[in-house]
Amino acid sequence: MARGINKVILVGNLGGDPEVRYMPSGNAVTNVTLATSESWKDRQSGQQQERTEWHRVVFFNRLAEIAGEYLRKGSKVYVEGSLRTRKWQGQDGQDRYTTEIVASEMQMLDGRGGDSGGYSQPDPMGYGQPQGQPQGGQPRQQQRPAPAPQQQPQQPPAPDMDSFDDDIPF
Amino acid sequence: MARGINKVILVGNLGGDPEVRYMPSGNAVTNVTLATSESWKDRQSGQQQERTEWHRVVFFNRLAEIAGEYLRKGSKVYVEGSLRTRKWQGQDGQDRYTTEIVASEMQMLDGRGGDSGGYSQPDPMGYGQPQGQPQGGQPRQQQRPAPAPQQQPQQPPAPDMDSFDDDIPF
Amino acid sequence: MARGINKVILVGNLGGDPEVRYMPSGNAVTNVTLATSESWKDRQSGQQQERTEWHRVVFFNRLAEIAGEYLRKGSKVYVEGSLRTRKWQGQDGQDRYTTEIVASEMQMLDGRGGDSGGYSQPDPMGYGQPQGQPQGGQPRQQQRPAPAPQQQPQQPPAPDMDSFDDDIPF
Amino acid sequence: MARGINKVILVGNLGGDPEVRYMPSGNAVTNVTLATSESWKDRQSGQQQERTEWHRVVFFNRLAEIAGEYLRKGSKVYVEGSLRTRKWQGQDGQDRYTTEIVASEMQMLDGRGGDSGGYSQPDPMGYGQPQGQPQGGQPRQQQRPAPAPQQQPQQPPAPDMDSFDDDIPF
DNA sequence: TTTT
DNA sequence: TTTT
């Protein structure tokens, strides 16, 4: 039961490949970062401005497996979920807080995925090939660039797997 | 000012090219139909079932022009708006009601758009590639057509342009 | 599985008491009408205008029972669901279509509902009646306090006012 | 223009009175914390569990003034906005990040606000105070009634119960 | 997933 | 770190 509504809807692109981990229970946990951006014309300078917002999204269980399998760096994705602020200890022993979107629904919005390898097994989600892409001409090579090494600014540690409760309410 | 929240969020594909009209004031009004679908396994038969829902979306003013310019049959699009039920007279003189989504925000989710040039070749299927296909290394035949363009049952007349109020609050 | 997103979020007041029916299977189906309204100042006349939109909402199964039990005419409610257009035959034998919101989530937003019973004493917590309580003719004791205000852990400093840009795009 | 969608919808209660500040430009900035909570039954212990999530919400400009004027500790409110993660320096000189919801829309969901003053008379309409009205210590006259319940025009018949499918996918 |  |  919920008292209140805590809902997030994102459409954005993955900043890197998903990171999949497994809990002792065997359940999967997948983390991605998602970029959304806005651009507008600055009133004073008349300059075009842009701001990118980065979101930390976490998937659990079945959704974590699907995300790990189908999403790739650059994938465009719809994510629906809820906000959760999680506490962790910095190396200096101080408390830190990180806000994440705990996904409850995910939908791929492009068919590239970003993975050149393609599927060797059937597509459990029935996802896969893109809708809305021009179909003439030659199918093109998958262009996913090599995984960029990436420093997260202030990387919070991965959540302690043992502290996860399979009964997390979503 | 609003009393209450009336919000719709859709991600779907256009059933046809947008229809753009102009009000006497010169403001544009664009109509599209948008398909969303769900599939699930029937409990009894074990059969895969699918249901496609068709939404009537209307854009006004600047958004109407952008929609008219960039959207095409098959385009995948994010639409945010509000519900409005509109009354009209059937040929038999009887009242009829049609519910539409009045769009307040729109975002194209496939990359063809954005370019006013559009297609230089026709899309043979009328859509672009469907979603829901496996993506193996070998491009394969399109197996499931995207939601078939179809005559909307009971086509309500286009809204009477003169009855539109430029002050509609959105 | 879904191809596309079909989501509606409403906050409004019930136009009448819920109508509960039961399917042959014993499952409940509850219908309500929900009002949302907007008001704005007309540009030309300078008059305050108001438009009320009526939404047909249908609940199934367990949600239908809860809605039938706790909602009343005038109740303020949050509803999340999806659009569904349903075909039916008019008395003249002609097809008609009605668009409804099929609710997937519901939350009561007042503790008094539309029942005139209401509060007879002031609310000592400064909160009002918690959600999810029955709202029959007899007001009853508050049993679950609303979330207690508490100190935020790790209060970040207020943003530096000078760093704000008036052109922030929202 | 946006590339991507960054949308948050919250319904919750204020943890404290709003904090209003003014920018050098004279524009207002108002901060509140908002609680949403979930409760569920733990699978193993069978115990009822509850988790409250606290959200930092910031309002700008006109919305900041309205929030500062009408919201109070305990107020139930609908907030729509977008996520923004803001960087700041801890006392130890280290970077910290705080995620906030930048509100673009706000609606009060109770007529009493958090002010214990509340109503001294019963609500004749069975509705409660309309939104958007001042709610200071002195209750004032209700000026705009909530949307009047009214007969729906063109009532379609109730759905034929036998045609419902228990497997409807939601 | 659970609850009202 | 993404995308156009």
Side-chain angles (χ1 to χ4, degrees), chain C residues 1-41:
Chain C
M1 184 223 132
R3 289 212 300 271
I5 298 295
N6 173 0
K7 182 166 290 291
V8 180
I9 288 172
L10 300 174
V11 175
N13 295 284
L14 263 69
D17 285 345
E19 294 173 18
V20 186
R21 293 157 176 264
Y22 290 88
M23 298 193 278
S25 63
N27 291 332
V29 181
T30 298
N31 289 275
V32 305
T33 56
L34 206 60
T36 57
S37 59
E38 302 213 51
S39 62
W40 69 101
K41 196 176 285 180

Side-chain angles (χ1 to χ4, degrees), chain C residues 3-163:
Chain C
R3 289 212 300 271
I5 298 295
N6 173 0
K7 182 166 290 291
V8 180
I9 288 172
L10 300 174
V11 175
N13 295 284
L14 263 69
D17 285 345
E19 294 173 18
V20 186
R21 293 157 176 264
Y22 290 88
M23 298 193 278
S25 63
N27 291 332
V29 181
T30 298
N31 289 275
V32 305
T33 56
L34 206 60
T36 57
S37 59
E38 302 213 51
S39 62
W40 69 101
K41 196 176 285 180
D42 183 75
R43 270 186 231 149
Q44 280 154 332
S45 65
Q47 296 282 130
Q48 195 66 14
Q49 308 282 133
E50 174 155 350
R51 175 180 164 85
T52 295
E53 191 68 41
W54 286 95
H55 307 92
R56 309 180 60 85
V57 178
V58 56
F59 303 89
F60 289 94
N61 304 330
R62 192 175 48 90
L63 214 47
E65 287 164 5
I66 296 166
E69 186 168 4
Y70 295 113
L71 299 182
R72 287 293 169 268
K73 178 175 172 175
S75 295
K76 187 186 284 296
V77 69
Y78 170 95
V79 169
E80 188 176 328
S82 58
L83 290 168
R84 188 190 60 178
T85 296
R86 184 162 63 77
K87 190 182 184 176
W88 52 284
Q89 315 294 333
Q91 291 154 308
D92 55 6
Q94 296 233 285
D95 289 346
R96 291 214 183 8
Y97 295 82
T98 293
T99 299
E100 296 166 312
I101 294 90
V102 178
S104 52
E105 185 171 355
M106 187 270 286
Q107 244 182 80
M108 295 197 57
L109 297 173
D110 49 15
R112 293 155 296 110
D115 183 46
S116 58
Y119 289 125
S120 50
Q121 314 94 331
D123 175 2
M125 291 300 286
Y127 270 120
Q129 200 149 309
Q131 290 171 274
Q133 298 305 322
Q135 300 187 339
Q138 303 311 325
R140 60 212 236 13
Q141 285 306 106
Q142 177 167 336
Q143 296 179 318
R144 255 182 304 180
Q150 57 185 211
Q151 272 307 105
Q152 280 295 105
Q154 193 199 42
Q155 193 79 258
D160 174 8
M161 288 300 119
D162 293 339
S163 71

Side-chain angles (χ1 to χ4, degrees), chain A residues 85-142:
Chain A
T85 296
R86 186 163 61 77
K87 190 182 184 175
W88 52 284
Q89 315 293 332
Q91 289 154 310
D92 55 5
Q94 296 232 284
D95 288 346
R96 292 216 183 7
Y97 295 81
T98 294
T99 299
E100 295 165 313
I101 293 90
V102 178
S104 52
E105 186 171 355
M106 186 270 286
Q107 245 182 78
M108 295 195 57
L109 296 174
D110 49 15
R112 292 168 303 123
D115 180 38
S116 60
Y119 299 120
S120 50
Q121 311 102 324
D123 175 5
M125 283 299 280
Y127 279 137
Q129 203 131 325
Q131 217 174 6
Q133 296 303 328
Q135 287 199 322
Q138 301 310 322
R140 60 199 213 43
Q141 284 304 107
Q142 179 67 35

Side-chain angles (χ1 to χ4, degrees), chain A residues 1-5, chain C residues 107 147, chain D residues 11 35-39 50-53:
Chain A
M1 192 216 122
R3 289 210 302 269
I5 297 295
Chain C
Q107 244 182 80
Chain D
V11 174
T36 56
S37 60
E38 301 213 51
S39 62
E50 175 155 350
R51 174 178 165 86
T52 294
E53 193 68 40

Side-chain angles (χ1 to χ4, degrees), chain A residues 111 119 126 128-132 135, chain B residues 13 76 112 129-130 132-133 135:
Chain A
Y119 299 120
Q129 203 131 325
Q131 217 174 6
Q135 287 199 322
Chain B
N13 296 85
K76 185 187 283 296
R112 291 168 302 123
Q129 203 140 314
Q133 300 304 326
Q135 285 198 328

